[in-house]
Amino acid sequence: MPRLALYTFGVLKSPLADPAPLTREFHDRGEAVYRKMHRAPGHLARAEPAEGSRGTVFDLDWGAWGAFTVPAWYDKGRTAETTALAATLSLWTGLRPAFDAVYTGLHREALNRRADWFERGGHPSHAFWWVPDGVTPTWQDGVSRLEDLHDGGPTPRAFPFHRPFTPEGVPTGLRGTGPETEAAR
């Protein structure tokens, strides 16, 4: 049974190492959101560094998730003092469980504050794609899909919540996220 991969990426207004209260608030809230998402129905896994791995996100051992990489438009730092990004890579059983986890509870509260923490840009913040059972998507897969979505719009290869596709590549809908089709009802 195919699974749904989700890559998210955002450029922060200040580096993660910034001691300002707003940065600390983002970090603290993020930890609580990760814990909640991990328990969400339909959540299968998320990229996490290997136990004992140290350094910046660029240096960590991500195991089967591959080497950490970022979209071409990221132009901030890559050191512990200058890294200013937030990225996730996760697997879900389907679009509805992912939607419900993202747009309710703690994560929804955080989304309401995104303008406080993230730069606005002309790039998508997330991309979905279907992966076969047993396949672990990599950070490079996520970056490639997000860049494809930015360059060419939604396709079965990379799509946002509001313009989804079935595992077979057929446009579909999810109530509240995009055009409905018979397959989505």
CSV table of all heavy atoms in Angstrom, one decimal, residues 88-129:
chain,number,residue,atom,x,y,z
A,88,THR,N,11.0,19.5,7.8
A,88,THR,CA,10.6,18.2,8.2
A,88,THR,C,10.4,17.3,7.0
A,88,THR,O,10.1,17.7,5.9
A,88,THR,CB,9.2,18.3,9.0
A,88,THR,OG1,8.2,18.7,8.2
A,88,THR,CG2,9.3,19.2,10.2
A,89,LEU,N,10.5,16.0,7.3
A,89,LEU,CA,10.2,15.0,6.3
A,89,LEU,C,9.5,13.9,7.0
A,89,LEU,O,10.1,13.4,8.0
A,89,LEU,CB,11.6,14.5,5.7
A,89,LEU,CG,11.5,13.4,4.6
A,89,LEU,CD1,10.7,13.9,3.4
A,89,LEU,CD2,12.9,13.1,4.2
A,90,SER,N,8.3,13.5,6.6
A,90,SER,CA,7.6,12.5,7.3
A,90,SER,C,6.8,11.6,6.4
A,90,SER,O,6.6,11.9,5.2
A,90,SER,CB,6.6,13.2,8.3
A,90,SER,OG,5.8,14.1,7.6
A,91,LEU,N,6.3,10.5,6.9
A,91,LEU,CA,5.4,9.6,6.2
A,91,LEU,C,4.1,9.4,6.9
A,91,LEU,O,4.0,9.4,8.1
A,91,LEU,CB,6.1,8.2,6.2
A,91,LEU,CG,7.2,8.0,5.2
A,91,LEU,CD1,7.9,6.7,5.4
A,91,LEU,CD2,6.6,8.0,3.7
A,92,TRP,N,3.0,9.4,6.1
A,92,TRP,CA,1.7,9.3,6.5
A,92,TRP,C,0.9,8.2,5.8
A,92,TRP,O,1.3,7.8,4.7
A,92,TRP,CB,1.0,10.6,6.3
A,92,TRP,CG,1.6,11.8,7.0
A,92,TRP,CD1,2.7,12.5,6.7
A,92,TRP,CD2,1.2,12.2,8.3
A,92,TRP,NE1,3.0,13.4,7.7
A,92,TRP,CE2,2.1,13.2,8.7
A,92,TRP,CE3,0.2,11.9,9.2
A,92,TRP,CZ2,2.0,13.9,9.9
A,92,TRP,CZ3,0.1,12.5,10.4
A,92,TRP,CH2,1.0,13.6,10.7
A,93,THR,N,-0.2,7.7,6.4
A,93,THR,CA,-1.0,6.7,5.7
A,93,THR,C,-1.8,7.3,4.6
A,93,THR,O,-2.3,6.6,3.7
A,93,THR,CB,-2.0,6.0,6.7
A,93,THR,OG1,-2.8,7.0,7.4
A,93,THR,CG2,-1.2,5.2,7.8
A,94,GLY,N,-2.1,8.6,4.7
A,94,GLY,CA,-2.9,9.3,3.6
A,94,GLY,C,-3.0,10.7,3.9
A,94,GLY,O,-2.5,11.3,4.9
A,95,LEU,N,-3.7,11.4,3.0
A,95,LEU,CA,-3.8,12.8,3.0
A,95,LEU,C,-4.7,13.3,4.2
A,95,LEU,O,-4.4,14.3,4.8
A,95,LEU,CB,-4.4,13.3,1.7
A,95,LEU,CG,-4.3,14.8,1.4
A,95,LEU,CD1,-2.9,15.3,1.4
A,95,LEU,CD2,-5.0,15.2,0.1
A,96,ARG,N,-5.8,12.7,4.4
A,96,ARG,CA,-6.8,13.1,5.5
A,96,ARG,C,-6.1,13.1,6.8
A,96,ARG,O,-6.1,14.1,7.6
A,96,ARG,CB,-8.0,12.3,5.5
A,96,ARG,CG,-9.0,12.5,6.6
A,96,ARG,CD,-9.3,14.0,6.9
A,96,ARG,NE,-10.2,14.5,5.9
A,96,ARG,CZ,-10.5,15.8,5.8
A,96,ARG,NH1,-10.1,16.6,6.7
A,96,ARG,NH2,-11.3,16.2,4.8
A,97,PRO,N,-5.3,12.0,7.2
A,97,PRO,CA,-4.7,12.1,8.5
A,97,PRO,C,-3.6,13.2,8.6
A,97,PRO,O,-3.5,13.8,9.6
A,97,PRO,CB,-4.0,10.7,8.7
A,97,PRO,CG,-4.8,9.8,7.7
A,97,PRO,CD,-5.2,10.7,6.6
A,98,ALA,N,-2.9,13.4,7.5
A,98,ALA,CA,-1.9,14.5,7.5
A,98,ALA,C,-2.6,15.8,7.6
A,98,ALA,O,-2.1,16.7,8.4
A,98,ALA,CB,-1.0,14.4,6.2
A,99,PHE,N,-3.7,16.0,6.9
A,99,PHE,CA,-4.4,17.3,7.0
A,99,PHE,C,-4.9,17.5,8.4
A,99,PHE,O,-4.8,18.6,8.9
A,99,PHE,CB,-5.6,17.3,6.0
A,99,PHE,CG,-6.3,18.5,5.9
A,99,PHE,CD1,-5.9,19.6,5.1
A,99,PHE,CD2,-7.5,18.7,6.7
A,99,PHE,CE1,-6.7,20.8,5.1
A,99,PHE,CE2,-8.2,19.9,6.7
A,99,PHE,CZ,-7.8,20.9,5.9
A,100,ASP,N,-5.5,16.5,9.0
A,100,ASP,CA,-6.1,16.7,10.3
A,100,ASP,C,-5.0,17.0,11.3
A,100,ASP,O,-5.2,17.8,12.2
A,100,ASP,CB,-6.8,15.4,10.7
A,100,ASP,CG,-8.1,15.2,9.9
A,100,ASP,OD1,-8.6,16.1,9.3
A,100,ASP,OD2,-8.6,14.1,10.0
A,101,ALA,N,-3.8,16.4,11.2
A,101,ALA,CA,-2.7,16.7,12.1
A,101,ALA,C,-2.2,18.1,12.0
A,101,ALA,O,-1.9,18.8,12.9
A,101,ALA,CB,-1.6,15.6,12.0
A,102,VAL,N,-2.0,18.5,10.7
A,102,VAL,CA,-1.5,19.8,10.4
A,102,VAL,C,-2.4,21.0,10.8
A,102,VAL,O,-2.0,22.0,11.3
A,102,VAL,CB,-1.0,19.9,9.0
A,102,VAL,CG1,-0.7,21.3,8.5
A,102,VAL,CG2,0.2,19.0,8.7
A,103,TYR,N,-3.7,20.8,10.5
A,103,TYR,CA,-4.6,21.9,10.6
A,103,TYR,C,-5.5,21.8,11.9
A,103,TYR,O,-6.6,22.5,11.9
A,103,TYR,CB,-5.5,22.0,9.4
A,103,TYR,CG,-4.7,22.6,8.2
A,103,TYR,CD1,-4.2,21.7,7.2
A,103,TYR,CD2,-4.3,23.9,8.2
A,103,TYR,CE1,-3.5,22.2,6.2
A,103,TYR,CE2,-3.5,24.4,7.2
A,103,TYR,CZ,-3.1,23.6,6.2
A,103,TYR,OH,-2.3,24.0,5.1
A,104,THR,N,-5.1,21.1,12.9
A,104,THR,CA,-5.8,21.1,14.2
A,104,THR,C,-4.7,21.2,15.3
A,104,THR,O,-3.5,21.0,15.1
A,104,THR,CB,-6.6,19.8,14.4
A,104,THR,OG1,-5.7,18.7,14.4
A,104,THR,CG2,-7.7,19.7,13.3
A,105,GLY,N,-5.2,21.5,16.5
A,105,GLY,CA,-4.4,21.5,17.7
A,105,GLY,C,-3.2,22.4,17.7
A,105,GLY,O,-3.2,23.5,17.2
A,106,LEU,N,-2.1,21.8,18.3
A,106,LEU,CA,-0.9,22.6,18.5
A,106,LEU,C,-0.3,23.1,17.2
A,106,LEU,O,0.2,24.2,17.1
A,106,LEU,CB,0.1,21.8,19.3
A,106,LEU,CG,-0.1,21.5,20.7
A,106,LEU,CD1,1.0,20.6,21.3
A,106,LEU,CD2,-0.1,22.8,21.5
A,107,HIS,N,-0.3,22.2,16.2
A,107,HIS,CA,0.3,22.6,14.9
A,107,HIS,C,-0.5,23.8,14.3
A,107,HIS,O,0.1,24.7,13.7
A,107,HIS,CB,0.4,21.4,13.9
A,107,HIS,CG,1.3,21.8,12.8
A,107,HIS,ND1,0.8,22.3,11.6
A,107,HIS,CD2,2.7,21.6,12.6
A,107,HIS,CE1,1.9,22.5,10.8
A,107,HIS,NE2,3.0,22.1,11.4
A,108,ARG,N,-1.8,23.7,14.4
A,108,ARG,CA,-2.7,24.8,13.8
A,108,ARG,C,-2.3,26.1,14.6
A,108,ARG,O,-2.2,27.2,13.9
A,108,ARG,CB,-4.1,24.5,14.0
A,108,ARG,CG,-5.0,25.6,13.5
A,108,ARG,CD,-4.8,25.8,12.0
A,108,ARG,NE,-5.5,27.0,11.6
A,108,ARG,CZ,-5.3,27.5,10.4
A,108,ARG,NH1,-4.5,26.9,9.5
A,108,ARG,NH2,-5.9,28.6,10.0
A,109,GLU,N,-2.2,26.0,15.9
A,109,GLU,CA,-1.8,27.2,16.6
A,109,GLU,C,-0.5,27.8,16.2
A,109,GLU,O,-0.3,29.0,16.0
A,109,GLU,CB,-1.7,26.9,18.1
A,109,GLU,CG,-3.1,26.6,18.8
A,109,GLU,CD,-2.9,26.1,20.2
A,109,GLU,OE1,-1.9,26.3,20.8
A,109,GLU,OE2,-3.9,25.5,20.7
A,110,ALA,N,0.5,26.9,15.9
A,110,ALA,CA,1.8,27.3,15.4
A,110,ALA,C,1.7,27.9,14.0
A,110,ALA,O,2.3,28.9,13.7
A,110,ALA,CB,2.8,26.2,15.4
A,111,LEU,N,0.8,27.3,13.1
A,111,LEU,CA,0.6,27.9,11.8
A,111,LEU,C,0.1,29.3,11.9
A,111,LEU,O,0.4,30.2,11.1
A,111,LEU,CB,-0.4,27.0,11.0
A,111,LEU,CG,0.2,25.8,10.4
A,111,LEU,CD1,-0.9,25.0,9.7
A,111,LEU,CD2,1.3,26.0,9.4
A,112,ASN,N,-0.8,29.6,12.9
A,112,ASN,CA,-1.3,30.9,13.0
A,112,ASN,C,-0.2,31.9,13.4
A,112,ASN,O,-0.4,33.1,13.2
A,112,ASN,CB,-2.4,30.9,14.1
A,112,ASN,CG,-3.7,30.2,13.6
A,112,ASN,OD1,-3.9,30.0,12.4
A,112,ASN,ND2,-4.5,29.8,14.6
A,113,ARG,N,0.9,31.5,13.9
A,113,ARG,CA,2.0,32.3,14.3
A,113,ARG,C,3.1,32.3,13.2
A,113,ARG,O,4.2,33.0,13.4
A,113,ARG,CB,2.6,31.9,15.6
A,113,ARG,CG,1.6,31.9,16.8
A,113,ARG,CD,1.4,33.3,17.4
A,113,ARG,NE,2.6,34.0,17.6
A,113,ARG,CZ,3.5,33.9,18.6
A,113,ARG,NH1,3.2,33.1,19.6
A,113,ARG,NH2,4.5,34.7,18.7
A,114,ARG,N,3.0,31.7,12.1
A,114,ARG,CA,4.1,31.5,11.2
A,114,ARG,C,4.7,32.8,10.7
A,114,ARG,O,5.9,32.9,10.4
A,114,ARG,CB,3.7,30.6,10.0
A,114,ARG,CG,2.7,31.1,9.1
A,114,ARG,CD,2.3,30.1,8.0
A,114,ARG,NE,1.1,30.5,7.3
A,114,ARG,CZ,0.0,29.8,7.4
A,114,ARG,NH1,-0.1,28.7,8.1
A,114,ARG,NH2,-1.1,30.3,6.7
A,115,ALA,N,3.8,33.9,10.6
A,115,ALA,CA,4.3,35.2,10.1
A,115,ALA,C,5.3,35.8,11.1
A,115,ALA,O,6.1,36.6,10.8
A,115,ALA,CB,3.2,36.1,9.8
A,116,ASP,N,5.2,35.4,12.4
A,116,ASP,CA,6.1,35.9,13.4
A,116,ASP,C,7.5,35.3,13.2
A,116,ASP,O,8.5,35.9,13.6
A,116,ASP,CB,5.6,35.5,14.8
A,116,ASP,CG,4.4,36.2,15.2
A,116,ASP,OD1,4.0,37.3,14.6
A,116,ASP,OD2,3.7,35.7,16.1
A,117,TRP,N,7.6,34.0,12.7
A,117,TRP,CA,8.8,33.3,12.7
A,117,TRP,C,9.5,33.1,11.3
A,117,TRP,O,10.7,33.1,11.2
A,117,TRP,CB,8.6,31.9,13.3
A,117,TRP,CG,8.1,31.9,14.7
A,117,TRP,CD1,8.5,32.6,15.7
A,117,TRP,CD2,7.0,31.1,15.2
A,117,TRP,NE1,7.8,32.3,16.9
A,117,TRP,CE2,6.9,31.4,16.6
A,117,TRP,CE3,6.1,30.2,14.6
A,117,TRP,CZ2,5.9,30.8,17.4
A,117,TRP,CZ3,5.2,29.6,15.4
A,117,TRP,CH2,5.1,29.9,16.8
A,118,PHE,N,8.6,33.1,10.3
A,118,PHE,CA,9.1,32.7,8.9
A,118,PHE,C,9.1,33.9,8.0
A,118,PHE,O,8.2,34.7,8.0
A,118,PHE,CB,8.3,31.6,8.3
A,118,PHE,CG,8.5,30.3,9.0
A,118,PHE,CD1,7.7,29.9,10.0
A,118,PHE,CD2,9.6,29.5,8.6
A,118,PHE,CE1,7.8,28.6,10.6
A,118,PHE,CE2,9.8,28.2,9.3
A,118,PHE,CZ,8.9,27.8,10.3
A,119,GLU,N,10.1,34.0,7.1
A,119,GLU,CA,10.1,34.9,6.0
A,119,GLU,C,9.0,34.6,5.0
A,119,GLU,O,8.8,33.4,4.8
A,119,GLU,CB,11.4,35.0,5.3
A,119,GLU,CG,12.6,35.5,6.2
A,119,GLU,CD,13.9,35.5,5.4
A,119,GLU,OE1,14.0,35.1,4.3
A,119,GLU,OE2,14.9,36.0,6.0
A,120,ARG,N,8.4,35.5,4.5
A,120,ARG,CA,7.4,35.3,3.4
A,120,ARG,C,8.2,35.2,2.1
A,120,ARG,O,9.1,36.0,1.9
A,120,ARG,CB,6.4,36.4,3.3
A,120,ARG,CG,5.4,36.3,4.4
A,120,ARG,CD,4.2,37.2,4.2
A,120,ARG,NE,3.4,37.1,3.0
A,120,ARG,CZ,2.4,36.3,2.9
A,120,ARG,NH1,2.0,35.6,3.9
A,120,ARG,NH2,1.7,36.2,1.8
A,121,GLY,N,7.9,34.3,1.3
A,121,GLY,CA,8.6,34.1,0.0
A,121,GLY,C,7.6,33.6,-1.1
A,121,GLY,O,6.5,33.3,-0.8
A,122,GLY,N,8.1,33.6,-2.2
A,122,GLY,CA,7.2,33.1,-3.3
A,122,GLY,C,7.4,31.6,-3.6
A,122,GLY,O,7.2,31.1,-4.7
A,123,HIS,N,7.8,30.8,-2.5
A,123,HIS,CA,8.0,29.4,-2.7
A,123,HIS,C,7.0,28.6,-1.9
A,123,HIS,O,6.6,29.1,-0.8
A,123,HIS,CB,9.4,29.1,-2.2
A,123,HIS,CG,10.5,29.9,-2.9
A,123,HIS,ND1,11.0,31.0,-2.4
A,123,HIS,CD2,11.1,29.7,-4.1
A,123,HIS,CE1,11.9,31.5,-3.2
A,123,HIS,NE2,12.0,30.7,-4.3
A,124,PRO,N,6.7,27.4,-2.3
A,124,PRO,CA,5.8,26.6,-1.5
A,124,PRO,C,6.5,26.2,-0.2
A,124,PRO,O,7.7,26.1,-0.1
A,124,PRO,CB,5.5,25.4,-2.4
A,124,PRO,CG,6.6,25.4,-3.4
A,124,PRO,CD,7.1,26.8,-3.6
A,125,SER,N,5.7,26.0,0.8
A,125,SER,CA,6.2,25.6,2.1
A,125,SER,C,6.2,24.0,2.3
A,125,SER,O,6.8,23.6,3.3
A,125,SER,CB,5.4,26.2,3.2
A,125,SER,OG,4.0,25.8,3.2
A,126,HIS,N,5.5,23.3,1.4
A,126,HIS,CA,5.4,21.9,1.6
A,126,HIS,C,5.1,21.2,0.3
A,126,HIS,O,4.6,21.8,-0.7
A,126,HIS,CB,4.3,21.5,2.6
A,126,HIS,CG,2.9,21.8,2.1
A,126,HIS,ND1,2.3,23.0,2.1
A,126,HIS,CD2,2.0,20.9,1.6
A,126,HIS,CE1,1.1,22.9,1.6
A,126,HIS,NE2,0.9,21.7,1.3
A,127,ALA,N,5.4,19.9,0.2
A,127,ALA,CA,5.1,19.1,-1.0
A,127,ALA,C,4.8,17.7,-0.5
A,127,ALA,O,5.5,17.2,0.4
A,127,ALA,CB,6.3,19.1,-2.0
A,128,PHE,N,3.8,17.1,-1.1
A,128,PHE,CA,3.5,15.7,-0.9
A,128,PHE,C,3.8,14.9,-2.1
A,128,PHE,O,3.9,15.4,-3.2
A,128,PHE,CB,2.0,15.5,-0.7
A,128,PHE,CG,1.4,16.0,0.6
A,128,PHE,CD1,0.8,17.2,0.8
A,128,PHE,CD2,1.6,15.2,1.7
A,128,PHE,CE1,0.2,17.6,2.0
A,128,PHE,CE2,1.1,15.5,3.0
A,128,PHE,CZ,0.4,16.8,3.1
A,129,TRP,N,4.1,13.6,-1.9
A,129,TRP,CA,4.2,12.6,-3.0
A,129,TRP,C,4.0,11.3,-2.4
A,129,TRP,O,4.1,11.0,-1.2
A,129,TRP,CB,5.5,12.8,-3.8
A,129,TRP,CG,6.7,12.3,-3.0
A,129,TRP,CD1,7.4,11.2,-3.1
A,129,TRP,CD2,7.4,13.1,-2.1
A,129,TRP,NE1,8.5,11.1,-2.3
A,129,TRP,CE2,8.5,12.3,-1.6
A,129,TRP,CE3,7.3,14.4,-1.5
A,129,TRP,CZ2,9.4,12.8,-0.7
A,129,TRP,CZ3,8.2,14.8,-0.6
A,129,TRP,CH2,9.3,14.0,-0.2
